[in-house]
Amino acid sequence: MRKIAESTVRRLSLYLRFLEEFQSQGIATISSEALATRGGTTSAQVRKDLSFFGSFGKRGLGYSVPELVGKLRDILGLKRTYQVVVVGAGKIGSALAQYPGFGQRGFHVAAVYDADPKKVGADWNGLVVQDVQHLEQDLARAPVDIAILATPAAAAAQVSDRLVQAGIRAILNFAPVQLEVPAHVVVKNVNMAMELEALSYALRNR
Amino acid sequence: MRKIAESTVRRLSLYLRFLEEFQSQGIATISSEALATRGGTTSAQVRKDLSFFGSFGKRGLGYSVPELVGKLRDILGLKRTYQVVVVGAGKIGSALAQYPGFGQRGFHVAAVYDADPKKVGADWNGLVVQDVQHLEQDLARAPVDIAILATPAAAAAQVSDRLVQAGIRAILNFAPVQLEVPAHVVVKNVNMAMELEALSYALRNR
DNA sequence: GGATGTGAATGTCTTCACAGCT
DNA sequence: AGCTGTGAAGACATTCACATCC
């Protein structure tokens, strides 16, 4: 399959969100123009993004909303559920583990881990914080697709290595460090401070 | 000033992080090559990124670490502190308001707001949750640079309007909705579910 | 008629490669 | 000799504009 730009994937994600909105409003058909307006882009961009994956519309008519929802979920790999573990039961780990948006989109948080004995055993709406020592044996027993890394910076590299060793193939990294992983592992970084710095830059130059 | 790509700004942020690391290790001078390796990019990219803002290096030698740290902090607008408010005292709002990384980088969380009377008055390490009704009068009294929006999706649009009305010029939006704001307001969106979807896409296609 | 799908044109970002300084 | 700074080339992404089909 041809390589698709990350920006395109982000937009597809967005389109899907809007389409689900339209769908819940009972709208059956939508034009690239209408989708574009909703998402702050252009109709040509919408059509181009979709064209990488096929021809889903009807000329003169637009796109069938339910059909396009299905295609996008398929393209994005969202027709299955993913098992997710959160490592790091601090404030951010706690917020992420209990974030309802994940479950709604098929990402099931199977477990949360922490190294601090004072946190281990805590019950978060039925999700019990596990000792990170059991990470490997748990992952061996019940495979997991994605790890969310929310440890302090100092622990991140080591935990990342252990996750990789245990066979994880995707990491969403909230720790402010650059992880080194083998090529077959996908990492996406989310760095709150960096987002604020981008705003700082934008504020400065106006 | 010429328009700079968002990707460039992100990298500058990263370089700054690495340079501070090098600085704390007492490294006085660094080459574009070394910085690039640390950040997973190329030396030409580093030099080009910096060249948009001036010539900070010495040929044959590299860059003075402390000097470049200063320049980058200047470029990114980080030589001042920013007043930040968090709106939404749920799990994510709580995590963000107490995130130590913000303070370390000059972003001072001045207040947290929520609409839920059960949350108002809660004390988070000396930060007391305020009633969102007081938002406008507080902002009028003590101006704030950046708002972090961490409300449920349903409330986000309305809160955003009130923030804009009250003179906010930058919003970091964690609610999964597309905000509509006037051109003079900068918005950056962080959408956890979308990050996972990008991982899902990456996992699917391999 | 109306909206898609898509080559071609344009615009933007990255990489190359080397002249120019230290 | 070594490494920066930067035009020029190349790769990539977006926008245009129109033939095509429903």
Side-chain angles (χ1 to χ4, degrees):
Chain A
M1 170 175 280
R2 192 184 135 192
K3 196 182 159 279
I4 300 295
E6 172 153 342
S7 52
T8 297
V9 176
R10 294 190 74 82
R11 282 193 300 269
L12 293 178
S13 240
L14 257 187
Y15 302 158
L16 174 56
R17 192 152 280 104
F18 299 145
L19 285 165
E20 286 171 342
E21 233 174 67
F22 290 132
Q23 192 171 28
S24 76
Q25 290 163 23
I27 296 170
T29 271
I30 190 126
S31 68
S32 57
E33 180 60 40
L35 241 191
T37 305
R38 186 70 181 72
T41 179
T42 68
S43 62
Q45 180 78 77
V46 171
R47 295 199 301 276
K48 183 66 89 180
D49 286 340
L50 295 174
S51 77
F52 294 132
F53 300 93
S55 304
F56 308 130
K58 287 207 189 357
R59 293 168 195 233
L61 228 148
Y63 301 87
S64 150
V65 172
E67 187 191 324
L68 193 50
V69 164
K71 296 287 188 190
L72 284 180
R73 290 183 17 91
D74 200 14
I75 291 166
L76 293 170
L78 297 175
K79 291 219 155 161
R80 49 165 293 199
T81 61
Y82 289 88
Q83 298 301 313
V84 177
V85 293
V86 175
V87 186
K91 302 254 167 44
I92 292 180
S94 156
L96 292 170
Q98 298 176 73
Y99 179 54
F102 289 161
Q104 285 163 19
R105 305 211 128 250
F107 297 98
H108 176 249
V109 178
V112 189
Y113 294 90
D114 202 287
D116 181 351
K118 284 199 290 288
K119 284 184 184 140
V120 172
D123 188 321
W124 296 343
N125 308 330
L127 199 62
V128 178
V129 178
Q130 306 293 321
D131 192 318
V132 74
Q133 287 187 352
H134 307 147
L135 186 63
E136 283 83 358
Q137 69 194 62
D138 288 3
L139 293 197
R141 200 179 311 133
V144 160
D145 305 291
I146 300 173
I148 298 180
L149 190 48
T151 64
Q158 197 220 322
V159 170
S160 160
D161 290 347
R162 288 176 61 187
L163 288 165
V164 169
Q165 196 61 39
I168 278 279
R169 287 165 59 221
I171 298 177
L172 185 57
N173 175 36
F174 285 80
V177 296
Q178 204 73 0
L179 302 180
E180 308 219 344
V181 299
H184 71 275
V185 179
V186 201
V187 175
K188 272 197 70 69
N189 295 295
V190 179
N191 188 323
M192 314 285 190
M194 241 163 87
E195 304 295 337
L196 282 184
E197 287 180 20
L199 284 179
S200 164
Y201 175 81
L203 283 177
R204 175 172 178 75
N205 298 289
R206 47 180 57 204
Chain B
M1 169 175 282
R2 193 186 134 189
K3 195 178 160 282
I4 301 295
E6 173 154 340
S7 50
T8 297
V9 176
R10 293 190 74 82
R11 282 192 301 268
L12 293 178
S13 242
L14 257 188
Y15 302 157
L16 175 55
R17 190 151 283 105
F18 299 145
L19 286 165
E20 287 172 341
E21 234 173 66
F22 290 131
Q23 192 169 29
S24 75
Q25 290 164 22
I27 296 171
T29 271
I30 190 129
S31 69
S32 57
E33 181 59 40
L35 242 189
T37 305
R38 185 71 181 73
T41 179
T42 68
S43 63
Q45 180 78 77
V46 171
R47 295 197 300 276
K48 184 65 91 179
D49 286 341
L50 295 174
S51 78
F52 294 133
F53 300 94
S55 304
F56 308 129
K58 287 207 190 355
R59 293 168 195 234
L61 228 148
Y63 301 87
S64 149
V65 172
E67 187 192 324
L68 193 50
V69 164
K71 295 288 187 190
L72 284 179
R73 290 184 17 92
D74 199 14
I75 290 166
L76 292 170
L78 298 175
K79 293 220 155 161
R80 48 164 295 200
T81 62
Y82 290 88
Q83 298 301 312
V84 177
V85 293
V86 175
V87 186
K91 303 254 167 45
I92 292 180
S94 157
L96 293 171
Q98 297 175 76
Y99 180 55
F102 289 162
Q104 283 164 18
R105 305 212 127 247
F107 297 99
H108 175 249
V109 178
V112 189
Y113 294 89
D114 202 288
D116 181 351
K118 284 198 289 291
K119 284 185 184 139
V120 172
D123 187 322
W124 296 344
N125 309 330
L127 198 63
V128 177
V129 178
Q130 306 293 319
D131 191 319
V132 73
Q133 287 187 352
H134 307 146
L135 186 63
E136 282 83 356
Q137 68 195 59
D138 287 2
L139 293 197
R141 201 180 311 135
V144 161
D145 305 291
I146 299 173
I148 297 180
L149 191 48
T151 65
Q158 198 219 323
V159 170
S160 159
D161 289 347
R162 288 176 61 188
L163 287 165
V164 169
Q165 196 62 39
I168 278 278
R169 287 164 59 222
I171 299 176
L172 185 57
N173 175 37
F174 285 81
V177 296
Q178 204 74 359
L179 302 180
E180 309 218 345
V181 299
H184 71 275
V185 178
V186 201
V187 175
K188 272 198 70 66
N189 295 295
V190 178
N191 189 322
M192 314 284 190
M194 243 163 84
E195 304 296 337
L196 282 185
E197 286 178 22
L199 284 180
S200 164
Y201 174 81
L203 283 177
R204 174 170 179 75
N205 297 288
R206 50 180 55 204

